Amino acid sequence: MITYIIESGVCMSISLICYVIFFNNDKYLYFNRGYLLFTLILSLSLPFIDIETEYSYFDSSHFNIVADNEVVAETAEVTTKKSNEESTAITPFYQFYTIVLMAYFIGVLLMFFRYFKNLIDLSKLIAASERVDRGSHKLILTKKLIGPFSFMSFIFVNKNQFENDEINETIWTHELVHARQYHTIDILFVELLLVVFYFNPLVWVYRLFLKSNHEYIADEKVIKKHSDLEKYANYLIQFAHSKNTMLFECSFNYSSIKNRLMMLSKSKNSKLLFANKVALASLLVLATAAMLAFKNIEKPQMNENGNDQFTVVIDFGHGGKDPGTLSDDNSVTETEIINSIGSIIKEIQTQSNFVYTRGNEFVSLKDRTDLANSVNADLLVSLHVGSQVGSKSNGVEIFYSESNFASEQSKTIAQQFAEKLKFRRGSRSNSVKTANFMVLKESKCPSVLLSLGFLSNQKDLDYLKSYENQKNLAKQIVDILEQVKG
């Protein structure tokens, strides 16, 4: 979420700076409207765009295996046994995070209420007022003392002012421009964004500029049709005191009168100068977007036989700041066991092309599956160690996903591992299970996850801590992979 806020904020900031410098005081008003809407949408969608130049290895959360054959998805919190010191350090953070999250959702609810209350208020005002149908638009004659304003194809005016012919033709022209150019849709769109992004001051700035732009467009149309700038300026000042409280209106008296009069008195810059401004602003905005969208991604590690046809992506679970599960005696973590087995696998000579998802760093689930898909892997094998609180579970479990692109092949490979992989004597028989772990279901190749024993079981723990046993497991895994290749 923080990354999203920063990336979208940077793009919005650059876009608004360009708008203020190049376009805000320029009379290419239709371009300005399009620029504001485009850059707002671009900024909010940009964090979802990843253009990879190499392979990416950065992360979020992972998964773990917990009590009595229950599988917890990767997006859930990892259930591990941590020391008292770790628990004490983490608790305040999650308390703060929960408070911030609750405050945010309260704000969303309030903004949601604000949004729909104003729609309801407009509906009530229409229902309580006299309506005059004029084809492309409808007049709403209200008894409330309000200044003229429009919403969609409705134009609201005070009934007494209308009947006494106090509303000049220039005002009708102004409001008709709002109605015919669908300015309300822009406002509805931005106000809806504010329900979610109410905390972002830059979205409020976009709202301000869009509303001002609508008024400039309507003013320009009025002067083109009626030509009397001085008379129109007097009407602007006359209605300046009118205070409308509706959220979505396009109002005759909206925005600074001084700014509007200044804009009316300006003339357009030359097309060549404007084109240069557009080119420079486009370069700055698109360059910013590109820098945020392109990711600096490391290349995957490969063994010496990196050009062989059969490619196996070997995923070492967890890593970096994510230690995985912790043994009951706090002597070893899942990551330490997997890193040790993984380093042995890397030293074994094989004719297959092994690609590793990580070294010692923290790697996201998405990056792991993206790697497997980008190298067109023939197989993905993810290595883990399990833990079950208050359980006597032990031995090896092999998982595959029925949602995988090649679920039947995955199941067959999982069964081969179950049949051929030898763990410690006395452990339970290897079992094959299904689970929708992201690394399994999102990989576009057969995929299996090996849970090599349980750190919560003392006998498994003793077995896994032995370097000779780690070496034996690593050799078996490589041998089975060679057999899978056929």
Side-chain angles (χ1 to χ4, degrees):
M1 184 62 178
I2 298 299
T3 302
Y4 179 89
I5 294 172
I6 293 173
E7 290 191 2
S8 60
V10 169
C11 192
M12 275 192 273
S13 298
I14 297 299
S15 300
L16 287 172
I17 289 171
C18 288
Y19 181 78
V20 171
I21 294 175
F22 299 124
F23 308 124
N24 188 39
N25 295 316
D26 209 314
K27 294 200 71 172
Y28 289 88
L29 301 174
Y30 295 105
F31 172 86
N32 290 0
R33 181 187 181 189
Y35 174 91
L36 289 169
L37 291 171
F38 173 76
T39 55
L40 177 58
I41 294 170
L42 174 66
S43 299
L44 294 176
S45 59
L46 183 63
F48 297 108
I49 303 172
D50 288 343
I51 304 175
E52 299 186 357
T53 55
E54 297 291 348
Y55 306 117
S56 177
Y57 303 125
F58 307 99
D59 191 32
S60 52
S61 58
H62 213 333
F63 73 91
N64 195 24
I65 303 171
V66 296
D68 294 331
N69 298 331
E70 176 187 1
V71 178
V72 177
E74 303 88 15
T75 54
E77 294 296 330
V78 178
T79 304
T80 59
K81 299 170 187 156
K82 298 181 181 293
S83 65
N84 292 332
E85 293 81 3
E86 287 176 305
S87 299
T88 303
I90 290 174
T91 300
F93 169 78
Y94 283 107
Q95 287 178 341
F96 174 75
Y97 176 79
T98 302
I99 292 171
V100 171
L101 199 61
M102 288 178 63
Y104 168 74
F105 281 112
I106 290 172
V108 169
L109 288 175
L110 291 174
M111 292 296 290
F112 186 81
F113 174 78
R114 167 180 173 267
Y115 188 88
F116 280 95
K117 180 182 181 301
N118 277 272
L119 286 176
I120 292 170
D121 288 345
L122 279 167
S123 299
K124 288 181 177 179
L125 184 60
I126 293 171
S129 304
E130 183 180 341
R131 183 185 303 191
V132 179
D133 196 336
R134 289 194 170 181
S136 63
H137 64 281
K138 299 173 182 63
L139 294 182
I140 304 298
L141 306 180
T142 176
K143 294 179 181 179
K144 288 188 175 184
L145 187 60
I146 59 173
F149 72 91
S150 63
F151 174 80
M152 301 300 285
S153 60
F154 298 101
I155 297 178
F156 297 77
V157 294
N158 178 263
K159 184 177 181 180
N160 289 334
Q161 290 178 339
F162 175 77
E163 291 176 345
N164 295 329
D165 201 24
E166 296 177 10
I167 301 175
N168 188 265
E169 185 66 25
T170 57
I171 299 174
W172 293 121
T173 301
H174 183 278
E175 296 306 324
L176 279 172
V177 172
H178 287 315
R180 289 170 177 171
Q181 297 198 8
Y182 306 104
H183 289 168
T184 305
I185 293 177
D186 296 0
I187 303 305
L188 286 170
F189 171 67
V190 176
E191 292 291 347
L192 191 58
L193 288 178
L194 283 170
V195 171
V196 180
F197 300 104
Y198 66 90
F199 58 87
N200 190 335
L202 296 174
V203 182
W204 291 94
V205 174
Y206 266 99
R207 174 182 180 269
L208 174 65
F209 281 139
L210 269 171
K211 280 200 164 188
S212 296
N213 174 263
H214 294 161
E215 298 309 311
Y216 296 156
I217 290 174
D219 290 344
E220 185 179 46
K221 284 287 186 180
V222 170
I223 295 304
K224 282 185 177 179
K225 183 173 183 180
H226 299 283
S227 71
D228 192 337
L229 176 58
E230 183 177 351
K231 187 176 182 180
Y232 182 61
N234 289 332
Y235 281 116
L236 283 177
I237 296 170
Q238 176 184 334
F239 281 92
H241 68 278
S242 301
K243 300 296 181 183
N244 298 334
T245 57
M246 296 298 175
L247 183 65
F248 304 120
E249 86 272 4
C250 296
S251 173
F252 182 82
N253 67 300
Y254 184 84
S255 189
S256 166
I257 300 298
K258 179 181 178 181
N259 289 343
R260 289 169 66 179
L261 292 176
M262 288 175 62
M263 182 62 72
L264 283 171
S265 63
K266 288 181 180 180
S267 57
K268 282 187 176 182
N269 290 327
S270 68
K271 291 184 177 179
L272 179 59
L273 177 59
F274 180 71
N276 289 333
K277 289 182 178 181
V278 172
L280 184 55
S282 300
L283 180 63
L284 291 171
V285 172
L286 295 178
T288 301
M291 285 190 294
L292 295 171
F294 280 95
K295 307 300 179 185
N296 185 19
I297 300 168
E298 300 176 7
K299 292 183 178 181
Q301 304 175 46
M302 294 189 180
N303 72 339
E304 295 178 356
N305 302 305
N307 294 322
D308 289 349
Q309 184 176 0
F310 190 78
T311 299
V312 180
V313 170
I314 300 182
D315 171 38
F316 302 146
H318 304 278
K321 63 181 180 180
D322 178 10
T325 192
L326 181 66
S327 63
D328 282 347
D329 59 6
N330 295 335
S331 62
V332 69
T333 65
E334 178 178 2
T335 293
E336 290 172 331
I337 295 293
I338 295 303
N339 283 354
S340 182
I341 295 173
S343 64
I344 298 170
I345 290 175
K346 290 179 180 181
E347 294 174 357
I348 299 175
Q349 296 296 317
T350 173
Q351 294 182 355
S352 297
N353 174 25
F354 285 180
V355 179
Y356 305 103
T357 57
R358 68 169 178 84
N360 295 318
E361 69 276 17
F362 189 41
V363 182
S364 74
L365 296 169
K366 181 178 184 300
D367 289 336
R368 295 169 196 250
T369 55
D370 285 350
L371 171 59
N373 297 336
S374 66
V375 299
N376 296 318
D378 297 292
L379 174 63
L380 180 145
V381 178
S382 186
L383 304 182
H384 291 265
V385 178
S387 177
Q388 293 189 352
V389 179
S391 171
K392 296 182 180 180
S393 293
N394 63 86
V396 174
E397 294 181 334
I398 302 98
F399 295 87
Y400 74 96
S401 172
E402 293 179 336
S403 301
N404 178 263
F405 172 77
S407 61
E408 287 302 316
Q409 288 177 274
S410 300
K411 180 179 179 181
T412 300
I413 294 170
Q415 290 170 339
Q416 287 183 261
F417 271 101
E419 292 170 4
K420 297 175 181 179
L421 186 63
K422 306 300 179 184
F423 198 57
R424 68 172 178 83
R425 290 182 181 180
S427 66
R428 292 180 181 178
S429 299
N430 299 342
S431 59
V432 175
K433 299 182 178 181
T434 60
N436 279 327
F437 298 138
M438 183 175 179
V439 291
L440 299 181
K441 68 180 181 179
E442 297 296 332
S443 300
K444 297 178 181 177
C445 65
S447 305
V448 296
L449 183 146
L450 307 181
S451 179
L452 303 170
F454 291 78
L455 295 186
S456 54
N457 181 280
Q458 189 60 48
K459 291 183 179 179
D460 281 8
L461 175 60
D462 293 338
Y463 180 86
L464 289 167
K465 288 169 70 174
S466 165
Y467 180 77
E468 287 302 317
N469 292 335
Q470 293 173 3
K471 188 174 180 181
N472 178 46
L473 285 172
K475 186 176 184 306
Q476 286 189 76
I477 291 170
V478 173
D479 288 343
I480 295 170
L481 289 174
E482 289 295 296
Q483 295 171 35
V484 167
K485 179 180 70 173

